[in-house]
Amino acid sequence: MRRPAFSLPPGTCDTHVHIWGPFDRYPVAKGAPYTPPERNAADLRALHARLGVERAVIVQTTVYKSDNRAMLDAIAASGGAYRGVALIDASFGDAEFQALHDGGVRGVRFGFVKHLGGVPDLALVQRTADRIAPMGWHLVLHLDAANIPEFEALLRGFSLPVVIDHMGRVPVAEGTEQAPFRILLDLLKRENYWVKVSGAERISAEGPPFRDAVPFARKLIEAAPDRTLWGTDWPHPNVRWDPDEADLVDLLPEFGDDDALRRVLVDNPARLYGFA
């Protein structure tokens, strides 16, 4: 694996990474939809040393369901460089939410993607949104492209900050005029909507180095330059192509100019996640 040619600005935050393991300490949850290879916090630090990333947001995956211990321990050991996005279940009350907040969590993720379990309990999604809004947290939504028009009314009903993962997983082969992408751009006119220009390797039709995703990222950044985030999605669960993260970094100059990239990489995540 190489170092990227593009030099990331100081304070760059990778807002979408996962950790799995060590499995002898953090075993995979019973009934998890897949069993990944071990990729622990030490592996994450090595990746970011190679890329030049200084901060990160660990996003809990269905591998652990609502057992957030691996994420919380990594945040605690990061010296303030990490934040987290948790998975929760209906058993979580005030004490559990406060423990997550004290541990560096600033959001809750819900997935709608079919191969990861499909549509969540929508009543739980709404209750959670109401519960976390006063804490200054946000929702992170992992959607298939088809979910965007299907749940457009739900999406428009939220008033707290909402982050859409991976450019809405819109397939690039269907172009920037496809209905899910047009709806996503329209949602970004609302001040509470954010998007991650991550997942180029997920939406690409061409494969590495995933340049066919660039027009989508550019349009999203142009629509909401102060509410766009970036992440590698390391270690890339359930992807067709397993990318070299240096390729993903080297796409960034095609996403926008230096001012736009500084906002996406440094300023926006610092504001949303409370980095100094």
Side-chain angles (χ1 to χ4, degrees), residues 137-274:
W137 289 19
H138 57 275
L139 285 180
V140 175
L141 300 182
H142 186 202
L143 303 157
D144 278 320
N147 297 137
I148 297 175
E150 181 181 3
F151 294 102
E152 183 178 0
L154 174 74
L155 298 174
R156 293 188 183 281
F158 294 122
S159 57
L160 81 168
V162 178
V163 179
I164 302 296
D165 278 341
H166 306 326
M167 298 188 264
R169 293 177 65 109
V170 292
V172 299
E174 296 184 20
T176 58
E177 292 303 309
Q178 61 183 285
F181 194 66
R182 291 201 315 269
I183 294 169
L184 179 55
L185 289 172
D186 194 54
L187 286 169
L188 288 172
K189 295 176 182 177
R190 301 165 63 104
E191 289 298 315
N192 64 312
Y193 262 86
W194 297 62
V195 68
K196 291 177 190 165
V197 286
S198 56
E201 76 282 8
R202 293 188 179 278
I203 70 172
S204 175
E206 296 178 357
F210 315 113
R211 282 201 173 88
D212 54 338
V214 168
F216 294 80
R218 289 187 68 92
K219 282 183 176 293
L220 292 169
I221 292 171
E222 289 167 2
D226 293 316
R227 287 173 282 110
T228 306
L229 307 165
W230 171 82
T232 59
D233 194 24
W234 179 90
H236 315 286
N238 304 302
V239 291
R240 179 180 176 187
W241 293 290
D242 190 13
D244 183 340
E245 293 80 14
D247 287 342
L248 302 178
V249 171
D250 285 340
L251 279 182
L252 285 167
E254 300 183 49
F255 287 6
D257 61 20
D258 288 348
D259 177 67
L261 290 180
R262 176 164 185 86
R263 287 194 253 182
V264 171
L265 299 172
V266 183
D267 300 339
N268 298 346
R271 191 170 79 254
L272 186 62
Y273 287 96

Side-chain angles (χ1 to χ4, degrees), residues 52-63:
V53 169
E54 295 181 8
R55 297 167 173 167
V57 179
I58 301 172
V59 178
Q60 178 81 329
T61 69
T62 52
V63 166

Side-chain angles (χ1 to χ4, degrees), residues 57-100:
V57 179
I58 301 172
V59 178
Q60 178 81 329
T61 69
T62 52
V63 166
Y64 285 128
K65 300 188 178 179
S66 59
D67 177 359
N68 295 285
R69 290 177 301 149
M71 174 186 67
L72 289 169
D73 287 353
I75 295 169
S78 74
Y82 293 174
R83 298 287 188 270
V85 171
L87 294 183
I88 61 100
D89 58 43
S91 72
F92 277 56
D94 291 347
E96 288 78 15
F97 280 109
Q98 189 61 52
L100 289 174

